[in-house]
Amino acid sequence: MRTVIITGAGAGIGRETAKLFASHGDRVILADIDTAAAEDVAIEIVASGGTAIARTLDVSKEEQWEQFGAWVRTEFGAPDVLINNAGIMDLGGFLEMSAAQWQRTIDVDLMSVVYGSRTFAQQMIDAGVHGHIVNISSAAAFLPTKLEPAYGVAKAAVLMATQSLRVELARHEIGVTAIAPGVIRTELLAHGNRAGLADEELAVWTAKAGAAQELAYAGPDKVARVIHRAVRHNWAIVPVNPEAWAIYYLFRLSPGLVRWGLGIASFERAEAILRRFTPLINRVASSRSAQEEHSR
Amino acid sequence: MRLVVVTGAGSGIGRATAQRFAKQGSTVVVSDINVETGTQTVELISTSGGTAVFRRLDVADVADWEAFAAWVCDELGVPDVVVNNAGILIGGGFLEQTGADWRRMIAINLMSPLVGSRLFAQRMVDAGTRGHIVNICSVGAFLPTGISPSYVTAKAGAWFGTQALRVELAPHHIGVSAICPGLIRTNLATNGSRGGVADAESASWAAKLGSGHRFVGRSPNRVAFAVTQAVRFDLATVPVGLEAWLGWYLSRLSPGALRSMTRLLRMDLADHGVELVGRIFGRNLDASADTTALSAGTPTTGAQARGSK
């Protein structure tokens, strides 16, 4: 039985990935800062016949990774697959975000990948496990926008760290993959903050942005399937959605063209679009909940 | 008269850039963590008829950055050009470098140019200055490697942040450029360190690599020229040197082909290379390495490594 570690497994992409690996017979370790959420997923997996263990982990803290790593090694030995999925997305312009907000994004989105990869790659090498490490980057790594520059910086750095690790671990026969999902129906925005807003405004904004993300056509299960395939085939960089593929190639073809296009995007426009689509968002949300009622 | 701020201006690219701007008639704020080399740069500029002032800056310290930006704007006005040049090199594999090595690298090579950009860009916007921000990245921003993964990771982040800032500041008529030099003759390696080994060994490693790095590569003046050209023509990304142009285009054409090339550069081979470089270039190195090794224990020398690129 393989041991698969997934961070941020309490929701979204992490949850679906955990369920998918568990359904293929792997033992999944669900790490999340939200212990209750991870436990719920573990209960769900166990109820459907899988093996899952939930564990609290703040991925931005190196000492927590060390303790977590030691626990995994004693309990199960070196893991076969590590999926560094946990991440946050705070919105806000380059100048709007404070130094502390920048640092938080870097700590959670970038340093977590460094700490996790270091901890478990070493275990895999020591135990001679030909394992796999998957880091969730983002299509934002190819989109230098005004909406979330800190997130983009962290994810671009994750992409480079992942490729460097891939180069280095190839001779140990450990695969390393970067995934760039695109817009996925998760709670990423609902859990994030937007810089430069007062608290009440912020609550309204995150609720709206979170509701808009609910409209995304691709579910987290799609990313989970791509992660599973990437581990099997040892792919290097894997965009998931069509827009992620498009922007990946377009940014390589002409960064200048992408920058020009993104010059049009702004918070004012994002808000105008959100306002216009609020009726649609509400309609979809209500029809979705009606469907769920119906299916019950 | 233009006001230009250059970080890490105590040596290498920073010093050359400060001198070039001074020669063109700008007033230059020379900043470095190393007071000695920073004041030397000011003296060099003054003796050749330019205007420069020194102020110490530890770019890893956000509070120091804020004090520095406030001081520059209060004493001399909002700068027209800011060159974020200060950076460090830490060699060693992904797993060899400790969490502390990684944090230091990210703080100095990734966060510090972005922190500096943020502070000065805000003041440029407020004052309506149509200025320019130049971040010295590296061709490393496009080269995944096993020999200094933290360096390339930090530079990739810094390069991307520079692109995002360019998009955001364009409506304010503030230009933002990323310079990506290839191999340049500087003290970057001399002031660097090797992760995963004892302090003394790291110092000797850096001294050996540095002995060669001082002679191999292009002159920092080439980069200084690229900086002034980038400001003049508002260029987005400027690779310096053939290897930098190759890295920039190859990383876009085929990241896979690039990775299969950089895969050949392994840390154990790099260590042999460093030994060899030390033997060729560092004849009197054993003596100097010993003193470096001894003084590496003192906090001042350890911190000096930060400021200069």
Side-chain angles (χ1 to χ4, degrees):
Chain A
M1 188 184 251
R2 292 197 305 181
T3 304
V4 179
I5 299 170
I6 300 129
T7 68
I13 296 173
R15 176 169 55 203
E16 294 306 319
T17 307
K19 279 156 69 173
L20 185 65
F21 275 90
S23 74
H24 282 83
D26 296 321
R27 174 197 297 119
V28 291
I29 298 172
L30 311 157
D32 204 300
I33 196 168
D34 184 347
T35 316
E39 275 166 357
D40 286 348
V41 179
I43 290 165
E44 200 183 329
I45 289 172
V46 171
S48 55
T51 312
I53 307 100
R55 189 89 181 168
T56 314
L57 174 67
D58 178 350
V59 292
S60 66
K61 302 275 191 307
E62 192 184 17
E63 63 276 9
Q64 290 207 16
W65 272 106
E66 280 165 4
Q67 288 160 7
F68 178 68
W71 173 78
V72 170
R73 192 173 45 211
T74 24
E75 293 286 319
F76 312 104
D80 299 277
V81 180
L82 166 68
I83 298 162
N84 282 307
N85 160 71
I88 52 161
M89 180 171 180
D90 286 349
L91 295 171
F94 202 106
L95 308 182
E96 281 179 314
M97 298 258 294
S98 68
Q101 285 170 318
W102 271 91
Q103 192 61 47
R104 179 175 117 99
T105 302
I106 295 294
D107 285 343
V108 178
D109 289 347
L110 171 61
M111 295 313 289
S112 65
V113 167
V114 171
Y115 299 146
S117 300
R118 284 188 66 243
T119 306
F120 288 108
Q122 194 61 57
Q123 289 191 14
M124 289 177 190
I125 293 171
D126 293 345
V129 172
H130 296 169
H132 204 100
I133 296 175
V134 179
N135 297 328
I136 309 297
S137 178
S138 168
F142 320 120
L143 285 168
T145 72
K146 315 173 224 193
L147 304 179
E148 29 75 9
Y151 184 76
V153 165
K155 291 301 189 180
V158 164
L159 184 67
M160 180 53 82
T162 306
Q163 292 196 76
S164 294
L165 193 63
R166 182 178 173 89
V167 164
E168 189 171 334
L169 294 185
R171 67 195 153 116
H172 298 288
E173 293 179 56
I174 297 170
V176 186
T177 300
I179 308 277
V183 185
I184 306 295
R185 210 159 54 231
T186 67
E187 289 142 46
L188 186 64
L189 277 174
H191 285 169
N193 294 323
R194 178 177 157 202
L197 289 183
D199 284 351
E200 316 87 75
E201 284 180 309
L202 180 66
V204 175
W205 161 267
T206 37
K208 269 195 200 161
Q213 199 181 358
E214 281 283 302
L215 286 183
Y217 59 91
D221 53 320
K222 180 176 179 185
V223 186
R225 287 195 298 275
V226 172
I227 292 173
H228 201 261
R229 278 204 295 277
V231 171
R232 214 162 54 226
H233 301 292
N234 190 18
W235 288 331
I237 302 172
V238 195
V240 177
N241 273 359
E243 80 274 7
W245 279 103
I247 199 67
Y248 176 50
Y249 283 114
L250 192 60
F251 194 52
R252 279 165 56 185
L253 183 70
S254 171
L257 190 65
V258 172
R259 280 197 314 270
W260 174 81
L262 290 172
I264 300 163
S266 70
F267 276 112
E268 290 73 35
R269 291 210 172 82
E271 268 158 19
I273 290 168
L274 267 184
R275 263 200 305 281
R276 177 167 300 178
F277 282 93
T278 303
L280 175 67
I281 293 168
N282 292 340
R283 206 158 65 227
V284 171
S286 62
S287 77
R288 213 173 255 163
S289 57
Q291 265 175 11
E292 276 164 19
E293 285 294 318
H294 188 70
S295 63
R296 266 178 214 149
Chain B
M1 197 190 257
R2 268 202 314 193
L3 182 63
V4 179
V5 175
V6 185
T7 70
S11 64
I13 293 170
R15 175 176 283 179
T17 305
Q19 286 178 313
R20 190 174 173 88
F21 274 110
K23 201 182 267 177
Q24 293 180 348
S26 306
T27 301
V28 183
V29 181
V30 171
S31 78
D32 202 295
I33 195 165
N34 187 332
V35 179
E36 199 183 324
T37 58
T39 41
Q40 275 167 12
T41 302
V42 171
E43 279 162 26
L44 284 170
I45 290 173
S46 310
T47 47
S48 54
T51 316
V53 283
F54 174 75
R55 195 181 186 286
R56 187 179 178 279
L57 170 65
D58 177 357
V59 294
D61 182 351
V62 174
D64 200 18
W65 255 120
E66 279 163 1
F68 175 76
W71 178 84
V72 169
C73 296
D74 292 346
E75 297 289 321
L76 304 158
V78 176
D80 301 282
V81 178
V82 176
V83 183
N84 287 299
N85 158 71
I88 54 163
L89 178 70
I90 302 177
F94 202 107
L95 311 181
E96 287 177 312
Q97 298 195 20
T98 61
D101 285 333
W102 273 92
R103 279 190 295 274
R104 195 164 107 83
M105 175 57 84
I106 297 300
I108 296 173
N109 282 15
L110 195 167
M111 290 303 277
S112 90
L114 304 184
V115 167
S117 297
R118 245 188 75 242
L119 291 171
F120 281 110
Q122 186 63 60
R123 287 175 166 85
M124 286 179 185
V125 170
D126 294 344
T129 305
R130 298 189 167 193
H132 205 101
I133 293 170
V134 182
N135 292 333
I136 308 294
C137 300
S138 163
V139 66
F142 317 118
L143 291 177
T145 171
I147 58 177
S148 54
S150 63
Y151 182 82
V152 295
T153 297
K155 289 298 191 183
W159 177 79
F160 186 85
T162 307
Q163 303 302 305
L165 189 63
R166 185 175 172 86
V167 171
E168 185 165 329
L169 293 184
H172 299 285
H173 303 281
I174 297 169
V176 186
S177 304
I179 311 288
C180 299
L183 189 59
I184 309 293
R185 218 156 54 221
T186 67
N187 293 331
L188 183 65
T190 309
N191 289 334
S193 60
R194 163 86 163 86
V197 295
D199 282 354
E201 205 183 318
S202 166
S204 135
W205 186 88
K208 282 174 190 156
L209 182 60
S211 67
H213 194 190
R214 276 204 299 270
F215 299 106
V216 178
R218 283 169 196 76
S219 155
N221 292 325
R222 282 281 300 276
V223 185
F225 173 69
V227 172
T228 50
Q229 294 296 92
V231 172
R232 196 163 154 204
F233 298 108
D234 190 16
L235 305 174
T237 299
V238 190
V240 181
L242 182 67
E243 69 280 10
W245 282 100
L246 281 176
W248 165 232
Y249 282 118
L250 192 56
S251 71
R252 289 162 57 186
L253 185 69
S254 171
L258 188 61
R259 279 196 308 272
S260 60
M261 282 161 67
T262 59
R263 188 165 295 166
L264 304 173
L265 278 172
R266 284 165 32 182
M267 201 60 220
D268 46 354
L269 299 178
D271 282 338
H272 285 305
V274 168
E275 275 298 319
L276 193 65
V277 166
R279 244 181 280 150
I280 296 167
F281 291 101
R283 288 211 186 103
N284 305 319
L285 204 65
D286 281 341
S288 69
D290 284 346
T291 43
T292 325
L294 284 174
S295 57
T298 65
T300 44
T301 317
Q304 272 170 14
R306 278 181 189 171
S308 39
K309 171 159 184 141

